[in-house]
Amino acid sequence: MKKKVLLMGKSGCGKTSMRSIIFANYIARDTRRLGATIDVEHSHIRFLGNLVLNLWDCGGQDVFMDSYFTSQRDNVFKNVEVLIYVFDVESREVEKDMHYYQSCLEAIMQNSPEAQVFCLIHKMDLIPEDQRQVVFGKRESELVKRSLPLKCACFRTSIWDETLYKAWSDIVHMLVPNVNHLQMHLDSFAGVLDADEILLFEKATFLVIAHSVRRQHNDIHRFEKISNIVKQFKLSCSKLQAQFHSMEVRNSSFAAFIDSFTANTYVMVIISDSSIPSAATLVNIRNARKHFEKLERSDSGFSGSGTARLE
């Protein structure tokens, strides 16, 4: 199952850097050596077994942008599932950026009217922290207004913190087939484990695919922080020619288990009940693997039926 994703924005806005961090295992400081994208770079990224992201990273130089709206219009904008448009928050050509963005929307409405639209206000680390929410709010309000009649979801992002994982996790979550069905099974699994929460990560990117929360937590950004931290640790293991498989962290307040789950996922289980032994949790994770692997292998994505039988 292929899903076409357009990644667009003016040259230098950070498109290729974020793609390289999420999908090619770059760390932020290494993206400085990346060159400008010439025309369109195509990537076929296998995601969760049978889901393939057909990612088009479109160069943002004026000559290429103009060609996308003229000679390449039908080829670029046909059969698009998702448009991700990246804005450099410090751009000095805001109206020109908006013109290109609205030209993209016109082409999307003509060729792929059902496509989802996401706007990333990028390089937010360059804005003083106490001003970020105000700056982002103004940009978001303007983009929502200019996107009509289409709807757009806006995110503030930076390659230097967890906001990049938040944005891409939400985008990919929308692309996963029958994700609500997966969510239902994850909720059942959390009940069996008496877990505070469970997170399901895609194995290569460590983006959060789905989660189940049974006890609320104050930090609303914890999922993407975990994605960022664990992926950096996983990359550090790779540099030492070691393979990351599992981890257990325990203190007086909770126990956290991260374990390889299915062929395409990792699972993270958070339990605050100190009376539950680690061995019991690890056995239940092992017993649930076959059930979730069956869901993952089903022809229509995560669309299996039945309930997990766990001991």
Side-chain angles (χ1 to χ4, degrees), residues 56-107:
W56 293 40
D57 183 356
C58 301
Q61 295 91 332
D62 289 347
V63 63
F64 297 135
M65 294 293 277
D66 291 337
S67 74
Y68 304 148
F69 306 129
T70 54
S71 59
Q72 297 191 67
R73 189 181 187 92
D74 290 345
N75 180 46
V76 171
F77 292 100
K78 192 174 182 180
N79 300 320
V80 174
E81 292 275 347
V82 168
L83 167 65
I84 303 171
Y85 202 96
V86 183
F87 292 89
D88 181 345
V89 71
E90 289 209 318
S91 172
R92 297 182 180 181
E93 299 181 309
V94 175
E95 280 306 314
K96 187 175 183 180
D97 296 344
M98 286 292 185
H99 168 72
Y100 278 133
Y101 172 61
Q102 290 184 297
S103 297
C104 284
L105 295 185
E106 290 174 9

Side-chain angles (χ1 to χ4, degrees), residues 9-245:
K10 285 289 291 172
S11 180
C13 67
K15 303 181 300 297
T16 303
S17 293
M18 63 171 64
R19 172 173 66 87
S20 298
I21 289 171
I22 296 294
F23 297 109
N25 292 332
Y26 274 65
I27 58 176
R29 67 173 178 268
D30 289 344
T31 61
R32 295 186 179 120
R33 67 173 185 260
L34 293 169
T37 301
I38 305 301
D39 202 4
V40 180
E41 288 188 8
H42 300 271
S43 303
H44 290 83
I45 301 159
R46 185 164 294 279
F47 202 86
L48 295 177
N50 68 342
L51 174 60
V52 176
L53 302 185
N54 182 11
L55 183 62
W56 293 40
D57 183 356
C58 301
Q61 295 91 332
D62 289 347
V63 63
F64 297 135
M65 294 293 277
D66 291 337
S67 74
Y68 304 148
F69 306 129
T70 54
S71 59
Q72 297 191 67
R73 189 181 187 92
D74 290 345
N75 180 46
V76 171
F77 292 100
K78 192 174 182 180
N79 300 320
V80 174
E81 292 275 347
V82 168
L83 167 65
I84 303 171
Y85 202 96
V86 183
F87 292 89
D88 181 345
V89 71
E90 289 209 318
S91 172
R92 297 182 180 181
E93 299 181 309
V94 175
E95 280 306 314
K96 187 175 183 180
D97 296 344
M98 286 292 185
H99 168 72
Y100 278 133
Y101 172 61
Q102 290 184 297
S103 297
C104 284
L105 295 185
E106 290 174 9
I108 285 288
M109 284 191 287
Q110 290 175 0
N111 293 274
S112 303
E114 301 300 317
Q116 301 284 325
V117 179
F118 297 90
C119 293
L120 307 187
I121 315 302
H122 196 46
K123 303 185 182 180
M124 288 295 293
D125 57 284
L126 300 177
I127 303 297
E129 190 169 356
D130 61 345
Q131 299 175 28
R132 289 175 190 171
Q133 188 55 47
V134 173
V135 170
F136 172 72
K138 289 180 179 178
R139 293 292 180 91
E140 180 182 34
S141 177
E142 183 69 15
L143 284 167
V144 168
K145 186 191 308 179
R146 296 210 189 193
S147 298
L148 294 173
L150 294 176
K151 293 182 179 180
C152 74
C154 298
F155 297 91
R156 63 181 195 181
T157 55
S158 167
I159 62 172
W160 299 100
D161 61 29
E162 69 278 356
T163 54
L164 190 63
Y165 285 88
K166 167 63 177 173
W168 280 89
S169 289
D170 284 8
I171 292 166
V172 168
H173 180 271
M174 187 276 300
L175 289 169
V176 175
N178 297 301
V179 71
N180 291 333
H181 193 85
L182 171 62
Q183 188 73 52
M184 181 186 72
H185 287 265
L186 211 59
D187 289 341
S188 297
F189 185 33
V192 169
L193 292 176
D194 193 23
D196 294 23
E197 49 193 10
I198 296 181
L199 281 69
L200 199 64
F201 301 98
E202 197 277 329
K203 202 161 198 170
T205 63
F206 248 85
L207 295 175
V208 178
I209 304 160
H211 64 272
S212 175
V213 178
R214 298 176 70 241
R215 294 178 180 86
Q216 295 303 314
H217 193 283
N218 292 332
D219 188 353
I220 61 173
H221 301 296
R222 63 195 181 282
F223 296 161
E224 47 269 26
K225 288 178 181 177
I226 292 168
S227 287
N228 194 12
I229 292 168
V230 177
K231 187 172 183 183
Q232 297 308 312
F233 179 72
K234 186 168 174 274
L235 292 176
S236 298
C237 290
S238 299
K239 289 180 179 179
L240 296 172
Q241 297 184 330
Q243 188 169 357
F244 174 74
H245 183 271

